[in-house]
Structures are given as C-alpha cells and as structure tokens.
C-alpha cells in the first residue's frame, strides 16, 4: 500500500471488534439490543423528569443531563458499528472520522464530569442537608452543567485541530470499531509528542480529577451513613452507594486504563474491550443504577407510561 496523508487519504478502515466473520451476527445482535435498551432507558428518564414538576430539583436536573449525554455518547459510536457489520463495509472517510472523534471526546468528557457533579450533589444532600438548597442554588447548578459543556467543546476541538496537522503513512487500517485518539496516533508517521502530552493533560483534568473528587465525596458520604442509627437505613444507603460506585469503577477504571496507563501495557484488544465498557455498557446501565432504587423517579416513569397508554387508547 502506498504512503498517504491526511489530504489525499480517502479514509480509514475500521477493523471492528472482531475480524472473524462468524462473530459478526452475534456482535450485531448483542450491540443492537444494548443500544435499544440505552436509547429507551435514557429517553424515558429525560421525559419523566421533564414532565413531572416534583422532579425539577438539582439531582434530577443533573440526571437528565447525564441521560442526554449517555444517549449521545452511545449514538455516536454504536450505530456506525452496526451499519458496518450489516453492510460489511468498514470504511470511514477522514472528515467523518474526525467528526466522530470530536463528538466521542465531547460527550465522553461530559459524562465523566457529570458523574462527579452528581456525586458532589449527593455529598451536599447527605452531609449538609440543612444547607442543601442554599449551596445547590440555580446559579451553581447552571455553572456545574454549563461549564462542562463549554469546556468539553474547547478540549475536543483542540484534540481535532492537533490531529488534523498529522500526516498518516502506510496502512490505514484502524484496529478499533470507531475513531479514537490512541489508535489514530499510532498510525501517524509524524511526531505525535504534542498530541500525547495534550492527551495526558486532558485525561488528568477530566478523568483523574473527577475520579478523585468522586472518591472524596463518597468517603464523606460513607462516614455520614455510619452515623445513621437505623441498621435498615444504613443497609439501604450502603446498597445505593455500592451500585453507584460499581458504575464509577467500571467507567473510570476503563478510561484510566486507555488514556493514562503507559502504552507498553496497552493492546488493541484491551483498548477495544475498555471502549465497549464506557461507550456501550455504562450508558446502558446508568438509567437502571440511578432509577431502580429511586421511588420518586419510578413513580414519574409509571405516570408517564400510563399517560401515554391512556392517550393512545
């Protein structure tokens, strides 16, 4: 194959999760089901929160934003993979590749920051209940959501601008199922040191820092729970915290492994497996984790479904 660069290349070949044709039917069915569950679950939460005035509080405002981001994050990667499997066409044009990478990092950064914001919200609600309404004012809630949207846009755009200056030589086969930074950087035949430094800086800002803040928030929450006199209350609170922390561990454990671990310990298989966790599994799980134990949200969902059923009959 002849050398090519970003101006003359027609695009990349996404090798997908598996290069074995016999696995494609199973992968298509599995990811289609996961995507449908993700879409329905997250959109139901958004509709339930927006339609019930009792849920117009900071916690549910953040949850609605998280559901929107999870829906967009999954939609940016999974449908393209499903189309590639169905059509047996694995190509993606260079502009489409950069566009997909931009939105992947945009919504990925938002997801990471919003999970941390929700942990802080729970910390204030549990550890400072008397001052909750004062601390979590509409202005602060707006800053905690609006700020990440602006920051994500800037950081993602910077990633794309740095990527656009690179020259790619040799094979254009990408051992992934969507366009991501680390496999693309490995294909470049020019100096990528600036890109790699920026990746580490951004990962420290939007992955490591939120993760530390989440751990600190839940450490204070656990201390507060231990002071609850009722054994039943402690058990229920610990059960809720453990489910939240399991998603946190899944999301941050995989993203840290991809963007902060040394390249010597990373492989294409590990990167793809990790990407499945934070682009498909956690967006699917979040609606269940944050709603199944929430009586108010379950009530709003029942009202919404009953309203739709009665209006259609």
């Amino acid at each position: 194959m002849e050398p090519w660069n970003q101006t003359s290349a027609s695009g990349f070949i996404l090798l997908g999760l598996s290069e074995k044709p016999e696995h494609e039917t199973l992968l298509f069915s599995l990811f289609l089901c996961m995507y449908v569950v993700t879409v329905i679950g997250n959109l139901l939460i958004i509709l339930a929160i927006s339609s019930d005035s009792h849920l117009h509080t900071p916690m549910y405002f953040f949850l609605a934003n998280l559901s929107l981001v999870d829906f967009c994050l999954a939609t940016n990667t999974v449908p393209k993979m499903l189309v590639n499997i169905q059509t047996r066409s694995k190509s993606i044009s260079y502009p489409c590749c950069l566009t997909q990478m931009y939105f992947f990092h945009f919504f990925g950064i938002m997801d990471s920051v919003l999970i941390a914001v929700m942990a802080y919200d729970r910390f204030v609600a549990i550890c400072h209940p008397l001052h909750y309404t004062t601390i979590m004012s509409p202005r602060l809630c707006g800053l905690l959501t609006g700020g990440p949207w602006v920051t994500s846009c800037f950081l993602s755009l910077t990633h794309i601008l740095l990527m656009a200056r690179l020259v790619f030589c040799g094979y254009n086969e990408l051992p992934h199922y969507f366009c991501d930074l680390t496999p693309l950087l490995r294909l470049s035949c020019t100096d990528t040191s600036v890109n790699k430094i920026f990746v580490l800086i951004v990962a420290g800002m939007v992955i490591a820092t939120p993760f530390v803040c989440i751990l600190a928030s839940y450490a204070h929450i656990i201390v507060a729970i231990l002071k609850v006199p009722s054994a039943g209350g402690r058990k229920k609170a610990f059960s809720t915290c453990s489910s939240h922390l399991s998603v946190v561990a899944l999301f941050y454990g995989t993203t840290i492994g991809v963007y902060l671990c040394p390249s010597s310990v990373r492989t294409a298989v590990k990167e793809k497996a990790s990407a499945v966790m934070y682009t498909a599994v956690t967006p699917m799980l979040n609606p269940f984790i944050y709603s199944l134990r929430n009586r108010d949200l379950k009530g709003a969902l029942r009202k919404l479904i009953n309203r739709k059923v009665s209006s259609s009959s």
Side-chain angles (χ1 to χ4, degrees), residues 164-177:
R165 70 185 182 84
L166 299 180
V167 174
F168 296 90
C169 309
Y171 293 104
N172 61 345
E173 293 180 340
L174 204 63
H176 217 305
Y177 64 96

Side-chain angles (χ1 to χ4, degrees), residues 116-301:
V117 167
M118 292 179 69
Y120 174 73
D121 174 75
R122 292 299 82 208
F123 158 72
V124 175
I126 294 172
C127 299
H128 305 282
L130 298 179
H131 302 286
Y132 179 76
T133 53
T134 305
I135 296 173
M136 301 305 294
S137 63
R139 182 185 178 187
L140 180 61
C141 292
L143 288 173
L144 289 175
T145 50
W149 283 98
V150 175
T151 305
S152 297
C153 178
F154 170 75
L155 293 176
S156 303
L157 184 60
T158 306
H159 273 311
I160 300 305
L161 293 176
L162 289 174
M163 183 64 68
R165 70 185 182 84
L166 299 180
V167 174
F168 296 90
C169 309
Y171 293 104
N172 61 345
E173 293 180 340
L174 204 63
H176 217 305
Y177 64 96
F178 68 92
C179 288
D180 193 12
L181 271 172
T182 49
L184 275 173
L185 290 178
R186 283 196 290 267
L187 287 183
S188 176
C189 57
T190 48
D191 182 21
T192 60
S193 56
V194 174
N195 300 70
K196 290 177 180 177
I197 291 170
F198 189 69
V199 168
L200 289 175
I201 292 171
V202 172
M205 289 171 54
V206 304
I207 299 176
T209 302
F211 183 57
V212 171
C213 292
I214 290 169
L215 293 181
S217 296
Y218 274 99
H220 284 89
I221 289 171
I222 290 169
V223 170
I225 291 171
L226 291 173
K227 297 177 182 178
V228 174
S230 166
R234 287 197 302 270
K235 183 178 178 181
K236 183 180 178 182
F238 274 123
S239 177
T240 302
C241 284
S242 63
S243 61
H244 289 183
L245 287 172
S246 63
V247 173
V248 167
L250 186 65
F251 181 85
Y252 288 97
T254 51
T255 52
I256 287 171
V258 171
Y259 297 105
L260 285 172
C261 285
S263 57
S264 58
V265 301
R266 297 198 309 259
T267 63
V269 174
K270 287 181 181 178
E271 286 185 356
K272 286 189 284 188
S274 297
V276 169
M277 293 297 110
Y278 54 75
T279 63
V281 176
T282 52
M284 179 184 68
L285 291 179
N286 279 342
F288 298 99
I289 296 296
Y290 289 104
S291 65
L292 285 180
R293 300 180 185 275
N294 191 307
R295 194 177 305 168
D296 294 334
L297 188 54
K298 286 193 287 187
L301 285 169

